[in-house]
Amino acid sequence: MIPYVLLVPTFAIIVIFIYWPAVYSFKMSFYRISPFGNRMIYTGLRNFGRLFQSSEYIHSIKVTAIYVGFSVLLTVFTAFFIALLLNLKVPGTPVYKALIFIPYAISPAISGTLWTFLLNPVVGHVNYFLSKTFGISVDWLTSKPYALYALILASVWKVVPFDTIFYLAGIQDVPDDLLEAATLDGASSWTKTWRIVFPLLSPITFYLVIMNIISFMFSSFAIIDVMTSGGPGDYTTTMIYRLYLDAFSFQKTGIASAESVILFGIMAVVTFVYFYFGERKVHYQ
Amino acid sequence: MKKSTRKLINTIVAEVILITIALIVSLPLFLAVSISFQSPEEVFSYPPKILPKGLYLKNYVDAFNLVPLARLILNSTIMAIAITAGKLTTGLLSGYAYANFRFKGREVSFALLFATLFLPAETVMIVPLFLIMKKFGWINTYWALTIPFMASATNTFLFRQHFRSIPKELEDAARIDGATPMQYFSKILLPLSKAMIGGAAIINFVYAWNMYLWPLIVTMEDKMKTVQIGVRMLISSESANNWGVIMAGTIVVLIPTVAVFLLLQNLFVRSLVRSGMKG
């Protein structure tokens, strides 16, 4: 009896607040709410059909792919590079570590706020610096394609520490002589780093890529909401932002449920990939 | 070149790069602190100031008046503590079940739990979850902000892993001494897991304190909103774009998590890594 009792609290929550909503959104995605909101009309797959014919939704898929793709790449490589440097344990490393890790504890909403200020065309320091040094003056958050760059910048800044923490922990297990030869030692060591050290850490990279995809697809909502609100126009409206708008600004419950199901499907694929390929890789680590 | 000379050069190069990176990364935070102490004239001066003239504390007073920041802090504190306590409780109990018992349905239920590992319900399923909250009459309540997030696969795995690393002989010895399974759990396992629980508590707290989308949609009245939404409210209500006030509010909101992180960094990092790695 005991183990079942121990599991009750966990499964009560998981079933009511994850499994039930999941099933519920599947069901809702096949319905349309009548104009007066009092009746549910079965429409089959029409919600999905309308989504994939809507240029807005197709646009949000493209933006999500570009935003997530670039952010993941930048984050993983920056974090790996920083971890290599921190691992040299040069004097002062504890201080650098503390400073570099801080954004992990800062929320996406605040990351968005900080960068909104820094990129502000009138009072922002980054903008001032760029216009003084390179003569560039840009309305970062309100013009294409800079709004997207600004989002990527704020998102990468927030997530790099997470990846660095994992790489740094992973590097400890790489034999010292390999690392010694690897860092900052001319061209051949550069090759060694990428041919030997990076592949050794591939299970970590794999895990991080998955975690980062989740961060950039979902947690980044706050960054987008604070910095661009999906604009200019719908230029930076990602899939999660589209879902939010359709559900809570336009009250299109059926369509929004279909969007939920699509995101759900993407996460199912990600989870499957993780367990299918992850299981094997983790074993020999 | 001699090996020692080369090593010295490497160290210097690494120092320079690391200092640069550390400065760039911490610059936004540093400037936010600085701006929060600048008067409107200083904020709008050109070129932008790096350091404030004095400590212009009116920004902090204004931030608390412009939005009900004190109330929002209370809400976020309640939410974060409740979620943390909930996740730890459910995680410890279910982790114990999976680590120390064999029972029918173990594999199936574990797989069901595993499947939710990468599913952030508070974002992917906001629509159905919102409708369920409506059914329960939980909109604008602490229930909606806390209960749905009181269990997670991550916490269960973390504690299962940890309990499995504790020698089986301890359990046998306790049983021979007449301890019931729950006595073994509370008298021996829990005290042995203090560091683990502490680490998980910090991670859960930071996660909950920083939640955004869910509190945004499930609270309508200002008095039920959380600090993260408060930052957004500051930006939109500060029509003159007085960044001094916005940054003052931002600093207040980020202090709890950043302070906890800096104070307990090692514990934090160790637990974070363990939560991600199997085996």
Side-chain angles (χ1 to χ4, degrees):
Chain A
M1 258 328 270
I2 295 171
Y4 296 108
V5 177
L6 292 172
L7 288 179
V8 165
T10 299
F11 276 88
I13 304 258
I14 298 282
V15 168
I16 297 174
F17 300 109
I18 295 184
Y19 276 100
W20 183 22
V23 173
Y24 197 12
S25 65
F26 266 96
K27 187 189 151 207
M28 295 288 295
S29 68
F30 297 118
Y31 286 85
R32 186 166 69 82
I33 312 281
S34 68
F36 300 105
N38 49 357
R39 233 155 34 88
M40 291 198 7
I41 304 153
Y42 182 75
T43 60
L45 289 170
R46 212 166 300 160
N47 284 334
F48 293 93
R50 274 170 62 192
L51 272 178
F52 286 112
Q53 277 162 15
S54 128
S55 58
E56 280 176 345
Y57 196 65
I58 301 294
H59 171 76
S60 78
I61 296 175
K62 278 187 201 154
V63 171
T64 308
I66 296 171
Y67 165 71
V68 173
F70 276 102
S71 300
V72 169
L73 278 177
L74 274 172
T75 307
V76 165
F77 287 118
T78 312
F80 178 66
F81 178 67
I82 295 178
L84 283 178
L85 286 169
L86 287 174
N87 191 57
L88 294 175
K89 302 191 179 72
V90 296
T93 294
V95 180
Y96 306 143
K97 233 197 245 178
L99 289 174
I100 291 172
F101 286 175
I102 283 180
Y104 173 80
I106 290 178
S107 74
I110 288 178
S111 165
T113 310
L114 296 178
W115 286 99
T116 301
F117 170 75
L118 289 169
L119 297 171
N120 184 293
V122 183
V123 295
H125 292 72
V126 167
N127 217 56
Y128 172 78
F129 174 76
L130 288 178
S131 69
K132 275 288 159 208
T133 5
F134 304 107
I136 315 171
S137 186
V138 171
D139 283 332
W140 285 98
L141 302 180
T142 49
S143 65
K144 299 178 196 176
Y146 300 101
L148 189 60
Y149 300 162
L151 289 181
I152 293 177
L153 175 68
S155 313
V156 170
W157 178 78
K158 200 240 158 308
V159 181
V160 160
F162 179 85
D163 289 17
T164 310
I165 288 170
F166 277 89
Y167 273 132
L168 197 53
I171 288 177
Q172 323 272 335
D173 300 334
V174 177
D176 272 347
D177 47 329
L178 266 180
L179 280 170
E180 192 120 328
T183 4
L184 297 164
D185 229 352
S188 70
S189 66
W190 181 255
T191 326
K192 269 183 208 154
T193 306
W194 293 109
R195 291 261 175 85
I196 300 167
V197 182
F198 195 69
L200 272 175
L201 297 175
S202 61
I204 295 178
T205 306
F206 185 66
Y207 173 75
L208 291 176
V209 167
I210 302 262
M211 294 306 283
N212 291 355
I213 289 176
I214 298 170
S215 303
F216 293 126
M217 279 194 72
F218 304 113
S219 316
S220 62
F221 174 88
I223 293 184
I224 298 173
D225 195 37
V226 168
M227 292 183 81
T228 66
S229 299
D234 68 350
Y235 182 63
T236 57
T237 303
T238 58
M239 292 169 83
I240 187 70
Y241 208 81
R242 182 91 256 155
L243 167 61
Y244 165 75
L245 289 178
D246 284 339
F248 297 98
S249 293
F250 308 133
Q251 313 287 341
K252 294 192 273 190
T253 308
I255 293 277
S257 297
E259 290 177 43
S260 270
V261 170
I262 292 168
L263 286 175
F264 189 88
I266 295 174
M267 288 327 295
V269 172
V270 168
T271 310
F272 176 78
V273 167
Y274 179 74
F275 289 121
Y276 190 77
F277 295 101
E279 285 298 317
R280 299 190 219 163
K281 289 195 170 174
V282 173
H283 277 304
Y284 75 77
Q285 190 198 10
Chain B
M1 217 186 314
K2 272 204 317 213
K3 204 171 178 190
S4 60
T5 329
R6 193 189 287 172
K7 203 163 183 189
L8 183 68
I9 294 173
N10 280 349
T11 308
I12 293 168
V13 173
E15 288 278 359
V16 172
I17 302 177
L18 274 172
I19 291 173
T20 314
I21 294 174
L23 282 178
I24 294 175
V25 170
S26 53
L27 191 72
L29 193 57
F30 168 75
L31 286 173
V33 174
S34 162
I35 298 293
S36 76
F37 291 119
Q38 295 183 15
S39 67
E41 298 81 62
E42 288 175 87
V43 172
F44 284 101
S45 64
Y46 194 86
K49 284 193 142 82
I50 303 287
L51 291 169
K53 250 192 329 228
L55 294 184
Y56 187 76
L57 294 171
K58 190 167 172 292
N59 288 334
Y60 284 84
V61 179
D62 288 352
F64 274 85
N65 289 331
L66 207 57
V67 297
L69 202 50
R71 173 72 197 215
L72 303 184
I73 291 170
L74 176 73
N75 291 344
S76 281
T77 308
I78 292 174
M79 178 177 84
I81 289 177
I83 290 180
T84 304
K87 279 195 168 164
L88 290 180
T89 310
T90 57
L92 282 165
L93 294 177
S94 54
Y96 180 46
Y98 285 122
N100 294 53
F101 294 89
R102 329 212 109 261
F103 53 93
K104 216 174 155 220
R106 188 166 177 261
E107 273 68 38
V108 178
S109 65
F110 196 66
L112 277 175
L113 194 59
F114 234 134
T116 69
L117 186 62
F118 295 131
L119 206 65
E122 74 273 24
T123 48
V124 183
M125 289 180 298
I126 41 171
V127 184
L129 206 52
F130 181 79
L131 295 174
I132 289 171
M133 292 299 113
K134 248 178 155 172
K135 260 184 212 169
F136 288 1
W138 281 7
I139 305 291
N140 266 323
T141 64
Y142 289 125
W143 306 122
L145 288 173
T146 54
I147 308 274
F149 312 108
M150 285 194 175
S152 75
T154 317
N155 278 267
T156 304
F157 297 151
L158 194 61
F159 290 118
R160 180 189 79 129
Q161 218 69 314
H162 176 67
F163 292 150
R164 274 166 51 164
S165 72
I166 290 168
K168 195 89 178 119
E169 291 76 42
L170 265 180
E171 193 182 358
D172 298 336
R175 206 179 30 228
I176 292 163
D177 285 346
T180 66
M182 284 325 282
Q183 279 169 336
Y184 168 69
F185 177 69
S186 59
K187 299 249 165 67
I188 295 171
L189 276 190
L190 287 189
L192 280 175
S193 314
K194 269 187 209 145
M196 204 64 192
I197 296 171
I202 311 168
I203 294 173
N204 290 328
F205 185 89
V206 170
Y207 154 85
W209 185 268
N210 290 347
M211 274 210 301
Y212 184 85
L213 179 53
W214 183 247
L216 178 70
I217 60 172
V218 89
T219 59
M220 272 92 191
E221 297 162 25
D222 280 0
K223 70 173 171 57
M224 285 311 296
K225 292 196 188 304
T226 62
V227 286
Q228 303 299 331
I229 314 300
V231 171
R232 182 81 172 93
M233 288 159 70
L234 268 177
I235 298 178
S236 34
S237 67
E238 191 34 81
S239 51
N241 266 321
N242 185 351
W243 282 97
V245 177
I246 299 172
M247 286 305 158
T250 303
I251 298 299
V252 171
V253 171
L254 65 75
I255 274 180
T257 51
V258 170
V260 165
F261 179 76
L262 287 178
L263 289 174
L264 301 167
Q265 195 188 321
N266 289 332
L267 179 62
F268 200 140
V269 166
R270 231 182 309 131
S271 317
L272 187 67
V273 170
R274 239 191 264 184
S275 76
M277 293 295 148
K278 296 183 287 172

